[in-house]
Amino acid sequence: MLRPAQVDPVSGYRYYATYQVTRAAVPRRLREIGMPLTAVEAALDAEPDDAARLIDEHVAKVCEDAASALAWDIRALDAADAGTEQRVQQHHDGLHLAGCYPSLHLNLADDYRRLGSFDAATEHIAAAGEHLPALSPDAYGSVLRTALDEVAEAIRRRDTARRASAPGPAA
């Protein structure tokens, strides 16, 4: 994506000119917001107005998807808060309401993280952690614990990109 200004013919060491420094930071920043490499290349090769449009379109899509997910996940948490253990047991004997909370808070943490609301994301990761004792020790529980660790790390890094292991279609 960035051709060096000069390459040492003996060592192969690449040298970049001062004017290339700004351009070198762009791919990293665009990847931080989850822009695919092909889109990064297209933005770098485009005229400034077209590059801005490509970046704006990507940001709008990411925010729209995360905002829609957030709305649904808030509804799911509200539904769980309004539920009772007795009502859940009517639908499935082995299901316990408390076991749903780690997943519900994980989803909210991931939504808020993708939207850049790291304080809210941190609150939901903490809430998910408080509910971990209710999580079953089976494969599902293991998947959730791994996802919680991934989201917590992404929050720590201030990363808003979609996780590769996130459920649903890949972006």
Side-chain angles (χ1 to χ4, degrees), residues 1 23-37 39-44 51 54-56 58-59 62 160-161:
M1 278 190 247
R23 182 174 168 96
V26 172
R28 179 181 52 83
R29 289 189 179 123
L30 294 178
R31 292 296 291 150
E32 286 174 355
I33 63 168
M35 196 168 204
L37 281 176
V40 170
E41 288 178 315
L44 287 173
L54 291 169
I55 294 166
D56 288 346
H58 172 76
V59 169
V62 168
T160 59

mmCIF file with all atom_site columns, all heavy atoms in Angstrom, residues 1 23-37 39-44 51 54-56 58-59 62 160-161:
data_model
loop_
_atom_site.group_PDB
_atom_site.id
_atom_site.type_symbol
_atom_site.label_atom_id
_atom_site.label_alt_id
_atom_site.label_comp_id
_atom_site.label_asym_id
_atom_site.label_entity_id
_atom_site.label_seq_id
_atom_site.pdbx_PDB_ins_code
_atom_site.Cartn_x
_atom_site.Cartn_y
_atom_site.Cartn_z
_atom_site.occupancy
_atom_site.B_iso_or_equiv
_atom_site.pdbx_formal_charge
_atom_site.auth_seq_id
_atom_site.auth_comp_id
_atom_site.auth_asym_id
_atom_site.auth_atom_id
_atom_site.pdbx_PDB_model_num
ATOM 1   N N   . MET A 1 1   ? 0.806   -1.197 0.000  1.00 0.00 ? 1   MET A N   1
ATOM 2   C CA  . MET A 1 1   ? 0.000   0.000  0.000  1.00 0.00 ? 1   MET A CA  1
ATOM 3   C C   . MET A 1 1   ? 0.851   1.264  0.000  1.00 0.00 ? 1   MET A C   1
ATOM 4   O O   . MET A 1 1   ? 0.386   2.290  -0.431 1.00 0.00 ? 1   MET A O   1
ATOM 5   C CB  . MET A 1 1   ? -0.905  0.026  1.232  1.00 0.00 ? 1   MET A CB  1
ATOM 6   C CG  . MET A 1 1   ? -2.154  -0.784 1.071  1.00 0.00 ? 1   MET A CG  1
ATOM 7   S SD  . MET A 1 1   ? -3.304  -0.485 2.400  1.00 0.00 ? 1   MET A SD  1
ATOM 8   C CE  . MET A 1 1   ? -3.252  -2.073 3.158  1.00 0.00 ? 1   MET A CE  1
ATOM 9   N N   . ARG A 1 23  ? 0.721   9.584  5.175  1.00 0.00 ? 23  ARG A N   1
ATOM 10  C CA  . ARG A 1 23  ? 0.048   8.524  4.416  1.00 0.00 ? 23  ARG A CA  1
ATOM 11  C C   . ARG A 1 23  ? 0.265   7.158  5.079  1.00 0.00 ? 23  ARG A C   1
ATOM 12  O O   . ARG A 1 23  ? -0.621  6.311  5.050  1.00 0.00 ? 23  ARG A O   1
ATOM 13  C CB  . ARG A 1 23  ? 0.538   8.496  2.975  1.00 0.00 ? 23  ARG A CB  1
ATOM 14  C CG  . ARG A 1 23  ? -0.166  7.455  2.133  1.00 0.00 ? 23  ARG A CG  1
ATOM 15  C CD  . ARG A 1 23  ? 0.246   7.547  0.666  1.00 0.00 ? 23  ARG A CD  1
ATOM 16  N NE  . ARG A 1 23  ? -0.185  6.401  -0.091 1.00 0.00 ? 23  ARG A NE  1
ATOM 17  C CZ  . ARG A 1 23  ? -1.287  6.344  -0.816 1.00 0.00 ? 23  ARG A CZ  1
ATOM 18  N NH1 . ARG A 1 23  ? -2.085  7.384  -0.863 1.00 0.00 ? 23  ARG A NH1 1
ATOM 19  N NH2 . ARG A 1 23  ? -1.596  5.257  -1.490 1.00 0.00 ? 23  ARG A NH2 1
ATOM 20  N N   . ALA A 1 24  ? 1.393   6.938  5.704  1.00 0.00 ? 24  ALA A N   1
ATOM 21  C CA  . ALA A 1 24  ? 1.674   5.652  6.355  1.00 0.00 ? 24  ALA A CA  1
ATOM 22  C C   . ALA A 1 24  ? 0.747   5.407  7.542  1.00 0.00 ? 24  ALA A C   1
ATOM 23  O O   . ALA A 1 24  ? 0.415   4.262  7.853  1.00 0.00 ? 24  ALA A O   1
ATOM 24  C CB  . ALA A 1 24  ? 3.129   5.600  6.805  1.00 0.00 ? 24  ALA A CB  1
ATOM 25  N N   . ALA A 1 25  ? 0.304   6.461  8.200  1.00 0.00 ? 25  ALA A N   1
ATOM 26  C CA  . ALA A 1 25  ? -0.576  6.307  9.363  1.00 0.00 ? 25  ALA A CA  1
ATOM 27  C C   . ALA A 1 25  ? -2.014  6.005  8.955  1.00 0.00 ? 25  ALA A C   1
ATOM 28  O O   . ALA A 1 25  ? -2.771  5.413  9.720  1.00 0.00 ? 25  ALA A O   1
ATOM 29  C CB  . ALA A 1 25  ? -0.525  7.575  10.214 1.00 0.00 ? 25  ALA A CB  1
ATOM 30  N N   . VAL A 1 26  ? -2.399  6.380  7.744  1.00 0.00 ? 26  VAL A N   1
ATOM 31  C CA  . VAL A 1 26  ? -3.791  6.219  7.311  1.00 0.00 ? 26  VAL A CA  1
ATOM 32  C C   . VAL A 1 26  ? -4.241  4.761  7.291  1.00 0.00 ? 26  VAL A C   1
ATOM 33  O O   . VAL A 1 26  ? -5.296  4.442  7.856  1.00 0.00 ? 26  VAL A O   1
ATOM 34  C CB  . VAL A 1 26  ? -4.018  6.910  5.947  1.00 0.00 ? 26  VAL A CB  1
ATOM 35  C CG1 . VAL A 1 26  ? -5.393  6.595  5.395  1.00 0.00 ? 26  VAL A CG1 1
ATOM 36  C CG2 . VAL A 1 26  ? -3.826  8.418  6.092  1.00 0.00 ? 26  VAL A CG2 1
ATOM 37  N N   . PRO A 1 27  ? -3.495  3.831  6.681  1.00 0.00 ? 27  PRO A N   1
ATOM 38  C CA  . PRO A 1 27  ? -3.973  2.434  6.676  1.00 0.00 ? 27  PRO A CA  1
ATOM 39  C C   . PRO A 1 27  ? -4.182  1.880  8.089  1.00 0.00 ? 27  PRO A C   1
ATOM 40  O O   . PRO A 1 27  ? -5.175  1.182  8.345  1.00 0.00 ? 27  PRO A O   1
ATOM 41  C CB  . PRO A 1 27  ? -2.869  1.663  5.958  1.00 0.00 ? 27  PRO A CB  1
ATOM 42  C CG  . PRO A 1 27  ? -2.180  2.678  5.117  1.00 0.00 ? 27  PRO A CG  1
ATOM 43  C CD  . PRO A 1 27  ? -2.275  3.963  5.886  1.00 0.00 ? 27  PRO A CD  1
ATOM 44  N N   . ARG A 1 28  ? -3.293  2.203  9.000  1.00 0.00 ? 28  ARG A N   1
ATOM 45  C CA  . ARG A 1 28  ? -3.446  1.721  10.379 1.00 0.00 ? 28  ARG A CA  1
ATOM 46  C C   . ARG A 1 28  ? -4.724  2.272  10.994 1.00 0.00 ? 28  ARG A C   1
ATOM 47  O O   . ARG A 1 28  ? -5.494  1.551  11.613 1.00 0.00 ? 28  ARG A O   1
ATOM 48  C CB  . ARG A 1 28  ? -2.233  2.115  11.217 1.00 0.00 ? 28  ARG A CB  1
ATOM 49  C CG  . ARG A 1 28  ? -2.337  1.661  12.678 1.00 0.00 ? 28  ARG A CG  1
ATOM 50  C CD  . ARG A 1 28  ? -1.139  2.083  13.504 1.00 0.00 ? 28  ARG A CD  1
ATOM 51  N NE  . ARG A 1 28  ? -0.813  3.487  13.420 1.00 0.00 ? 28  ARG A NE  1
ATOM 52  C CZ  . ARG A 1 28  ? -1.413  4.446  14.147 1.00 0.00 ? 28  ARG A CZ  1
ATOM 53  N NH1 . ARG A 1 28  ? -2.374  4.141  14.982 1.00 0.00 ? 28  ARG A NH1 1
ATOM 54  N NH2 . ARG A 1 28  ? -1.048  5.704  14.031 1.00 0.00 ? 28  ARG A NH2 1
ATOM 55  N N   . ARG A 1 29  ? -4.974  3.542  10.810 1.00 0.00 ? 29  ARG A N   1
ATOM 56  C CA  . ARG A 1 29  ? -6.180  4.149  11.383 1.00 0.00 ? 29  ARG A CA  1
ATOM 57  C C   . ARG A 1 29  ? -7.451  3.572  10.762 1.00 0.00 ? 29  ARG A C   1
ATOM 58  O O   . ARG A 1 29  ? -8.432  3.336  11.454 1.00 0.00 ? 29  ARG A O   1
ATOM 59  C CB  . ARG A 1 29  ? -6.143  5.663  11.207 1.00 0.00 ? 29  ARG A CB  1
ATOM 60  C CG  . ARG A 1 29  ? -5.112  6.305  12.100 1.00 0.00 ? 29  ARG A CG  1
ATOM 61  C CD  . ARG A 1 29  ? -5.238  7.815  12.078 1.00 0.00 ? 29  ARG A CD  1
ATOM 62  N NE  . ARG A 1 29  ? -4.259  8.395  12.947 1.00 0.00 ? 29  ARG A NE  1
ATOM 63  C CZ  . ARG A 1 29  ? -3.348  9.283  12.561 1.00 0.00 ? 29  ARG A CZ  1
ATOM 64  N NH1 . ARG A 1 29  ? -3.328  9.695  11.317 1.00 0.00 ? 29  ARG A NH1 1
ATOM 65  N NH2 . ARG A 1 29  ? -2.477  9.763  13.415 1.00 0.00 ? 29  ARG A NH2 1
ATOM 66  N N   . LEU A 1 30  ? -7.424  3.353  9.458  1.00 0.00 ? 30  LEU A N   1
ATOM 67  C CA  . LEU A 1 30  ? -8.604  2.794  8.807  1.00 0.00 ? 30  LEU A CA  1
ATOM 68  C C   . LEU A 1 30  ? -8.832  1.342  9.221  1.00 0.00 ? 30  LEU A C   1
ATOM 69  O O   . LEU A 1 30  ? -9.978  0.914  9.360  1.00 0.00 ? 30  LEU A O   1
ATOM 70  C CB  . LEU A 1 30  ? -8.483  2.920  7.289  1.00 0.00 ? 30  LEU A CB  1
ATOM 71  C CG  . LEU A 1 30  ? -8.482  4.361  6.756  1.00 0.00 ? 30  LEU A CG  1
ATOM 72  C CD1 . LEU A 1 30  ? -8.307  4.371  5.247  1.00 0.00 ? 30  LEU A CD1 1
ATOM 73  C CD2 . LEU A 1 30  ? -9.740  5.107  7.167  1.00 0.00 ? 30  LEU A CD2 1
ATOM 74  N N   . ARG A 1 31  ? -7.778  0.595  9.449  1.00 0.00 ? 31  ARG A N   1
ATOM 75  C CA  . ARG A 1 31  ? -7.930  -0.781 9.926  1.00 0.00 ? 31  ARG A CA  1
ATOM 76  C C   . ARG A 1 31  ? -8.458  -0.789 11.358 1.00 0.00 ? 31  ARG A C   1
ATOM 77  O O   . ARG A 1 31  ? -9.206  -1.682 11.741 1.00 0.00 ? 31  ARG A O   1
ATOM 78  C CB  . ARG A 1 31  ? -6.600  -1.542 9.844  1.00 0.00 ? 31  ARG A CB  1
ATOM 79  C CG  . ARG A 1 31  ? -6.120  -1.819 8.425  1.00 0.00 ? 31  ARG A CG  1
ATOM 80  C CD  . ARG A 1 31  ? -7.046  -2.737 7.667  1.00 0.00 ? 31  ARG A CD  1
ATOM 81  N NE  . ARG A 1 31  ? -6.969  -4.061 8.257  1.00 0.00 ? 31  ARG A NE  1
ATOM 82  C CZ  . ARG A 1 31  ? -7.963  -4.931 8.266  1.00 0.00 ? 31  ARG A CZ  1
ATOM 83  N NH1 . ARG A 1 31  ? -9.100  -4.651 7.702  1.00 0.00 ? 31  ARG A NH1 1
ATOM 84  N NH2 . ARG A 1 31  ? -7.822  -6.103 8.843  1.00 0.00 ? 31  ARG A NH2 1
ATOM 85  N N   . GLU A 1 32  ? -8.102  0.209  12.161 1.00 0.00 ? 32  GLU A N   1
ATOM 86  C CA  . GLU A 1 32  ? -8.594  0.314  13.535 1.00 0.00 ? 32  GLU A CA  1
ATOM 87  C C   . GLU A 1 32  ? -10.105 0.479  13.583 1.00 0.00 ? 32  GLU A C   1
ATOM 88  O O   . GLU A 1 32  ? -10.740 0.067  14.558 1.00 0.00 ? 32  GLU A O   1
ATOM 89  C CB  . GLU A 1 32  ? -7.928  1.484  14.269 1.00 0.00 ? 32  GLU A CB  1
ATOM 90  C CG  . GLU A 1 32  ? -6.496  1.219  14.660 1.00 0.00 ? 32  GLU A CG  1
ATOM 91  C CD  . GLU A 1 32  ? -5.812  2.438  15.257 1.00 0.00 ? 32  GLU A CD  1
ATOM 92  O OE1 . GLU A 1 32  ? -6.419  3.530  15.293 1.00 0.00 ? 32  GLU A OE1 1
ATOM 93  O OE2 . GLU A 1 32  ? -4.649  2.301  15.671 1.00 0.00 ? 32  GLU A OE2 1
ATOM 94  N N   . ILE A 1 33  ? -10.695 1.054  12.548 1.00 0.00 ? 33  ILE A N   1
ATOM 95  C CA  . ILE A 1 33  ? -12.153 1.197  12.515 1.00 0.00 ? 33  ILE A CA  1
ATOM 96  C C   . ILE A 1 33  ? -12.795 0.053  11.736 1.00 0.00 ? 33  ILE A C   1
ATOM 97  O O   . ILE A 1 33  ? -13.973 0.121  11.389 1.00 0.00 ? 33  ILE A O   1
ATOM 98  C CB  . ILE A 1 33  ? -12.591 2.574  11.975 1.00 0.00 ? 33  ILE A CB  1
ATOM 99  C CG1 . ILE A 1 33  ? -12.162 2.776  10.526 1.00 0.00 ? 33  ILE A CG1 1
ATOM 100 C CG2 . ILE A 1 33  ? -12.101 3.688  12.881 1.00 0.00 ? 33  ILE A CG2 1
ATOM 101 C CD1 . ILE A 1 33  ? -12.804 3.984  9.854  1.00 0.00 ? 33  ILE A CD1 1
ATOM 102 N N   . GLY A 1 34  ? -12.016 -0.987 11.484 1.00 0.00 ? 34  GLY A N   1
ATOM 103 C CA  . GLY A 1 34  ? -12.566 -2.197 10.872 1.00 0.00 ? 34  GLY A CA  1
ATOM 104 C C   . GLY A 1 34  ? -12.738 -2.141 9.372  1.00 0.00 ? 34  GLY A C   1
ATOM 105 O O   . GLY A 1 34  ? -13.449 -2.954 8.795  1.00 0.00 ? 34  GLY A O   1
ATOM 106 N N   . MET A 1 35  ? -12.085 -1.220 8.714  1.00 0.00 ? 35  MET A N   1
ATOM 107 C CA  . MET A 1 35  ? -12.206 -1.117 7.269  1.00 0.00 ? 35  MET A CA  1
ATOM 108 C C   . MET A 1 35  ? -11.402 -2.242 6.626  1.00 0.00 ? 35  MET A C   1
ATOM 109 O O   . MET A 1 35  ? -10.230 -2.427 6.950  1.00 0.00 ? 35  MET A O   1
ATOM 110 C CB  . MET A 1 35  ? -11.698 0.249  6.806  1.00 0.00 ? 35  MET A CB  1
ATOM 111 C CG  . MET A 1 35  ? -12.103 0.639  5.428  1.00 0.00 ? 35  MET A CG  1
ATOM 112 S SD  . MET A 1 35  ? -11.723 2.404  5.175  1.00 0.00 ? 35  MET A SD  1
ATOM 113 C CE  . MET A 1 35  ? -12.886 2.783  3.893  1.00 0.00 ? 35  MET A CE  1
ATOM 114 N N   . PRO A 1 36  ? -12.017 -3.008 5.709  1.00 0.00 ? 36  PRO A N   1
ATOM 115 C CA  . PRO A 1 36  ? -11.287 -4.099 5.049  1.00 0.00 ? 36  PRO A CA  1
ATOM 116 C C   . PRO A 1 36  ? -10.119 -3.558 4.218  1.00 0.00 ? 36  PRO A C   1
ATOM 117 O O   . PRO A 1 36  ? -10.158 -2.426 3.730  1.00 0.00 ? 36  PRO A O   1
ATOM 118 C CB  . PRO A 1 36  ? -12.339 -4.737 4.132  1.00 0.00 ? 36  PRO A CB  1
ATOM 119 C CG  . PRO A 1 36  ? -13.655 -4.218 4.590  1.00 0.00 ? 36  PRO A CG  1
ATOM 120 C CD  . PRO A 1 36  ? -13.404 -2.922 5.296  1.00 0.00 ? 36  PRO A CD  1
ATOM 121 N N   . LEU A 1 37  ? -9.091  -4.380 4.048  1.00 0.00 ? 37  LEU A N   1
ATOM 122 C CA  . LEU A 1 37  ? -7.893  -3.941 3.305  1.00 0.00 ? 37  LEU A CA  1
ATOM 123 C C   . LEU A 1 37  ? -8.218  -3.447 1.907  1.00 0.00 ? 37  LEU A C   1
ATOM 124 O O   . LEU A 1 37  ? -7.649  -2.455 1.448  1.00 0.00 ? 37  LEU A O   1
ATOM 125 C CB  . LEU A 1 37  ? -6.869  -5.066 3.236  1.00 0.00 ? 37  LEU A CB  1
ATOM 126 C CG  . LEU A 1 37  ? -6.040  -5.270 4.495  1.00 0.00 ? 37  LEU A CG  1
ATOM 127 C CD1 . LEU A 1 37  ? -5.126  -6.485 4.336  1.00 0.00 ? 37  LEU A CD1 1
ATOM 128 C CD2 . LEU A 1 37  ? -5.217  -4.041 4.819  1.00 0.00 ? 37  LEU A CD2 1
ATOM 129 N N   . ALA A 1 39  ? -10.890 -1.988 0.897  1.00 0.00 ? 39  ALA A N   1
ATOM 130 C CA  . ALA A 1 39  ? -11.485 -0.655 1.013  1.00 0.00 ? 39  ALA A CA  1
ATOM 131 C C   . ALA A 1 39  ? -10.428 0.374  1.406  1.00 0.00 ? 39  ALA A C   1
ATOM 132 O O   . ALA A 1 39  ? -10.485 1.517  0.961  1.00 0.00 ? 39  ALA A O   1
ATOM 133 C CB  . ALA A 1 39  ? -12.628 -0.672 2.019  1.00 0.00 ? 39  ALA A CB  1
ATOM 134 N N   . VAL A 1 40  ? -9.464  -0.041 2.246  1.00 0.00 ? 40  VAL A N   1
ATOM 135 C CA  . VAL A 1 40  ? -8.363  0.860  2.614  1.00 0.00 ? 40  VAL A CA  1
ATOM 136 C C   . VAL A 1 40  ? -7.576  1.235  1.365  1.00 0.00 ? 40  VAL A C   1
ATOM 137 O O   . VAL A 1 40  ? -7.284  2.412  1.124  1.00 0.00 ? 40  VAL A O   1
ATOM 138 C CB  . VAL A 1 40  ? -7.435  0.208  3.668  1.00 0.00 ? 40  VAL A CB  1
ATOM 139 C CG1 . VAL A 1 40  ? -6.167  1.034  3.861  1.00 0.00 ? 40  VAL A CG1 1
ATOM 140 C CG2 . VAL A 1 40  ? -8.168  0.030  4.992  1.00 0.00 ? 40  VAL A CG2 1
ATOM 141 N N   . GLU A 1 41  ? -7.247  0.245  0.558  1.00 0.00 ? 41  GLU A N   1
ATOM 142 C CA  . GLU A 1 41  ? -6.508  0.512  -0.685 1.00 0.00 ? 41  GLU A CA  1
ATOM 143 C C   . GLU A 1 41  ? -7.298  1.435  -1.611 1.00 0.00 ? 41  GLU A C   1
ATOM 144 O O   . GLU A 1 41  ? -6.742  2.359  -2.198 1.00 0.00 ? 41  GLU A O   1
ATOM 145 C CB  . GLU A 1 41  ? -6.176  -0.794 -1.399 1.00 0.00 ? 41  GLU A CB  1
ATOM 146 C CG  . GLU A 1 41  ? -5.101  -1.588 -0.700 1.00 0.00 ? 41  GLU A CG  1
ATOM 147 C CD  . GLU A 1 41  ? -4.798  -2.915 -1.376 1.00 0.00 ? 41  GLU A CD  1
ATOM 148 O OE1 . GLU A 1 41  ? -5.757  -3.626 -1.734 1.00 0.00 ? 41  GLU A OE1 1
ATOM 149 O OE2 . GLU A 1 41  ? -3.604  -3.213 -1.540 1.00 0.00 ? 41  GLU A OE2 1
ATOM 150 N N   . ALA A 1 42  ? -8.600  1.181  -1.719 1.00 0.00 ? 42  ALA A N   1
ATOM 151 C CA  . ALA A 1 42  ? -9.444  2.029  -2.576 1.00 0.00 ? 42  ALA A CA  1
ATOM 152 C C   . ALA A 1 42  ? -9.441  3.468  -2.072 1.00 0.00 ? 42  ALA A C   1
ATOM 153 O O   . ALA A 1 42  ? -9.352  4.407  -2.872 1.00 0.00 ? 42  ALA A O   1
ATOM 154 C CB  . ALA A 1 42  ? -10.863 1.472  -2.633 1.00 0.00 ? 42  ALA A CB  1
ATOM 155 N N   . ALA A 1 43  ? -9.525  3.648  -0.754 1.00 0.00 ? 43  ALA A N   1
ATOM 156 C CA  . ALA A 1 43  ? -9.518  4.998  -0.183 1.00 0.00 ? 43  ALA A CA  1
ATOM 157 C C   . ALA A 1 43  ? -8.179  5.680  -0.408 1.00 0.00 ? 43  ALA A C   1
ATOM 158 O O   . ALA A 1 43  ? -8.131  6.873  -0.728 1.00 0.00 ? 43  ALA A O   1
ATOM 159 C CB  . ALA A 1 43  ? -9.849  4.940  1.306  1.00 0.00 ? 43  ALA A CB  1
ATOM 160 N N   . LEU A 1 44  ? -7.093  4.933  -0.267 1.00 0.00 ? 44  LEU A N   1
ATOM 161 C CA  . LEU A 1 44  ? -5.761  5.522  -0.479 1.00 0.00 ? 44  LEU A CA  1
ATOM 162 C C   . LEU A 1 44  ? -5.542  5.931  -1.936 1.00 0.00 ? 44  LEU A C   1
ATOM 163 O O   . LEU A 1 44  ? -4.866  6.921  -2.214 1.00 0.00 ? 44  LEU A O   1
ATOM 164 C CB  . LEU A 1 44  ? -4.678  4.543  -0.053 1.00 0.00 ? 44  LEU A CB  1
ATOM 165 C CG  . LEU A 1 44  ? -4.495  4.344  1.441  1.00 0.00 ? 44  LEU A CG  1
ATOM 166 C CD1 . LEU A 1 44  ? -3.497  3.227  1.705  1.00 0.00 ? 44  LEU A CD1 1
ATOM 167 C CD2 . LEU A 1 44  ? -4.047  5.630  2.114  1.00 0.00 ? 44  LEU A CD2 1
ATOM 168 N N   . ALA A 1 51  ? -12.237 9.508  -1.368 1.00 0.00 ? 51  ALA A N   1
ATOM 169 C CA  . ALA A 1 51  ? -11.695 8.815  -0.192 1.00 0.00 ? 51  ALA A CA  1
ATOM 170 C C   . ALA A 1 51  ? -12.543 9.148  1.033  1.00 0.00 ? 51  ALA A C   1
ATOM 171 O O   . ALA A 1 51  ? -12.909 8.260  1.812  1.00 0.00 ? 51  ALA A O   1
ATOM 172 C CB  . ALA A 1 51  ? -10.239 9.202  0.040  1.00 0.00 ? 51  ALA A CB  1
ATOM 173 N N   . LEU A 1 54  ? -15.802 7.225  0.823  1.00 0.00 ? 54  LEU A N   1
ATOM 174 C CA  . LEU A 1 54  ? -15.621 5.809  1.138  1.00 0.00 ? 54  LEU A CA  1
ATOM 175 C C   . LEU A 1 54  ? -15.497 5.587  2.647  1.00 0.00 ? 54  LEU A C   1
ATOM 176 O O   . LEU A 1 54  ? -16.088 4.657  3.209  1.00 0.00 ? 54  LEU A O   1
ATOM 177 C CB  . LEU A 1 54  ? -14.391 5.241  0.425  1.00 0.00 ? 54  LEU A CB  1
ATOM 178 C CG  . LEU A 1 54  ? -14.494 5.113  -1.091 1.00 0.00 ? 54  LEU A CG  1
ATOM 179 C CD1 . LEU A 1 54  ? -13.116 4.805  -1.686 1.00 0.00 ? 54  LEU A CD1 1
ATOM 180 C CD2 . LEU A 1 54  ? -15.503 4.046  -1.477 1.00 0.00 ? 54  LEU A CD2 1
ATOM 181 N N   . ILE A 1 55  ? -14.744 6.441  3.299  1.00 0.00 ? 55  ILE A N   1
ATOM 182 C CA  . ILE A 1 55  ? -14.562 6.324  4.751  1.00 0.00 ? 55  ILE A CA  1
ATOM 183 C C   . ILE A 1 55  ? -15.876 6.631  5.468  1.00 0.00 ? 55  ILE A C   1
ATOM 184 O O   . ILE A 1 55  ? -16.281 5.903  6.379  1.00 0.00 ? 55  ILE A O   1
ATOM 185 C CB  . ILE A 1 55  ? -13.427 7.251  5.229  1.00 0.00 ? 55  ILE A CB  1
ATOM 186 C CG1 . ILE A 1 55  ? -12.085 6.766  4.647  1.00 0.00 ? 55  ILE A CG1 1
ATOM 187 C CG2 . ILE A 1 55  ? -13.372 7.308  6.759  1.00 0.00 ? 55  ILE A CG2 1
ATOM 188 C CD1 . ILE A 1 55  ? -10.960 7.764  4.761  1.00 0.00 ? 55  ILE A CD1 1
ATOM 189 N N   . ASP A 1 56  ? -16.573 7.687  5.041  1.00 0.00 ? 56  ASP A N   1
ATOM 190 C CA  . ASP A 1 56  ? -17.860 8.030  5.652  1.00 0.00 ? 56  ASP A CA  1
ATOM 191 C C   . ASP A 1 56  ? -18.869 6.890  5.501  1.00 0.00 ? 56  ASP A C   1
ATOM 192 O O   . ASP A 1 56  ? -19.612 6.583  6.433  1.00 0.00 ? 56  ASP A O   1
ATOM 193 C CB  . ASP A 1 56  ? -18.433 9.307  5.039  1.00 0.00 ? 56  ASP A CB  1
ATOM 194 C CG  . ASP A 1 56  ? -17.692 10.558 5.464  1.00 0.00 ? 56  ASP A CG  1
ATOM 195 O OD1 . ASP A 1 56  ? -16.908 10.483 6.445  1.00 0.00 ? 56  ASP A OD1 1
ATOM 196 O OD2 . ASP A 1 56  ? -17.889 11.606 4.815  1.00 0.00 ? 56  ASP A OD2 1
ATOM 197 N N   . HIS A 1 58  ? -18.208 3.693  5.204  1.00 0.00 ? 58  HIS A N   1
ATOM 198 C CA  . HIS A 1 58  ? -17.825 2.595  6.093  1.00 0.00 ? 58  HIS A CA  1
ATOM 199 C C   . HIS A 1 58  ? -18.226 2.899  7.534  1.00 0.00 ? 58  HIS A C   1
ATOM 200 O O   . HIS A 1 58  ? -18.816 2.055  8.212  1.00 0.00 ? 58  HIS A O   1
ATOM 201 C CB  . HIS A 1 58  ? -16.317 2.327  6.012  1.00 0.00 ? 58  HIS A CB  1
ATOM 202 C CG  . HIS A 1 58  ? -15.857 1.345  7.039  1.00 0.00 ? 58  HIS A CG  1
ATOM 203 N ND1 . HIS A 1 58  ? -16.089 0.002  6.913  1.00 0.00 ? 58  HIS A ND1 1
ATOM 204 C CD2 . HIS A 1 58  ? -15.231 1.520  8.219  1.00 0.00 ? 58  HIS A CD2 1
ATOM 205 C CE1 . HIS A 1 58  ? -15.621 -0.621 7.979  1.00 0.00 ? 58  HIS A CE1 1
ATOM 206 N NE2 . HIS A 1 58  ? -15.091 0.283  8.787  1.00 0.00 ? 58  HIS A NE2 1
ATOM 207 N N   . VAL A 1 59  ? -17.939 4.100  8.003  1.00 0.00 ? 59  VAL A N   1
ATOM 208 C CA  . VAL A 1 59  ? -18.270 4.481  9.376  1.00 0.00 ? 59  VAL A CA  1
ATOM 209 C C   . VAL A 1 59  ? -19.785 4.433  9.583  1.00 0.00 ? 59  VAL A C   1
ATOM 210 O O   . VAL A 1 59  ? -20.266 3.924  10.601 1.00 0.00 ? 59  VAL A O   1
ATOM 211 C CB  . VAL A 1 59  ? -17.701 5.879  9.711  1.00 0.00 ? 59  VAL A CB  1
ATOM 212 C CG1 . VAL A 1 59  ? -18.255 6.416  11.014 1.00 0.00 ? 59  VAL A CG1 1
ATOM 213 C CG2 . VAL A 1 59  ? -16.181 5.811  9.761  1.00 0.00 ? 59  VAL A CG2 1
ATOM 214 N N   . VAL A 1 62  ? -20.881 0.747  9.910  1.00 0.00 ? 62  VAL A N   1
ATOM 215 C CA  . VAL A 1 62  ? -20.478 0.176  11.197 1.00 0.00 ? 62  VAL A CA  1
ATOM 216 C C   . VAL A 1 62  ? -21.357 0.710  12.319 1.00 0.00 ? 62  VAL A C   1
ATOM 217 O O   . VAL A 1 62  ? -21.861 -0.051 13.145 1.00 0.00 ? 62  VAL A O   1
ATOM 218 C CB  . VAL A 1 62  ? -18.990 0.469  11.491 1.00 0.00 ? 62  VAL A CB  1
ATOM 219 C CG1 . VAL A 1 62  ? -18.631 0.153  12.925 1.00 0.00 ? 62  VAL A CG1 1
ATOM 220 C CG2 . VAL A 1 62  ? -18.110 -0.314 10.539 1.00 0.00 ? 62  VAL A CG2 1
ATOM 221 N N   . THR A 1 160 ? -12.590 -0.549 18.070 1.00 0.00 ? 160 THR A N   1
ATOM 222 C CA  . THR A 1 160 ? -14.008 -0.537 17.707 1.00 0.00 ? 160 THR A CA  1
ATOM 223 C C   . THR A 1 160 ? -14.340 -1.488 16.562 1.00 0.00 ? 160 THR A C   1
ATOM 224 O O   . THR A 1 160 ? -15.481 -1.545 16.119 1.00 0.00 ? 160 THR A O   1
ATOM 225 C CB  . THR A 1 160 ? -14.460 0.885  17.316 1.00 0.00 ? 160 THR A CB  1
ATOM 226 O OG1 . THR A 1 160 ? -13.671 1.326  16.213 1.00 0.00 ? 160 THR A OG1 1
ATOM 227 C CG2 . THR A 1 160 ? -14.332 1.849  18.484 1.00 0.00 ? 160 THR A CG2 1
ATOM 228 N N   . ALA A 1 161 ? -13.358 -2.222 16.088 1.00 0.00 ? 161 ALA A N   1
ATOM 229 C CA  . ALA A 1 161 ? -13.593 -3.134 14.956 1.00 0.00 ? 161 ALA A CA  1
ATOM 230 C C   . ALA A 1 161 ? -14.442 -4.327 15.386 1.00 0.00 ? 161 ALA A C   1
ATOM 231 O O   . ALA A 1 161 ? -14.395 -4.767 16.537 1.00 0.00 ? 161 ALA A O   1
ATOM 232 C CB  . ALA A 1 161 ? -12.260 -3.617 14.391 1.00 0.00 ? 161 ALA A CB  1
#
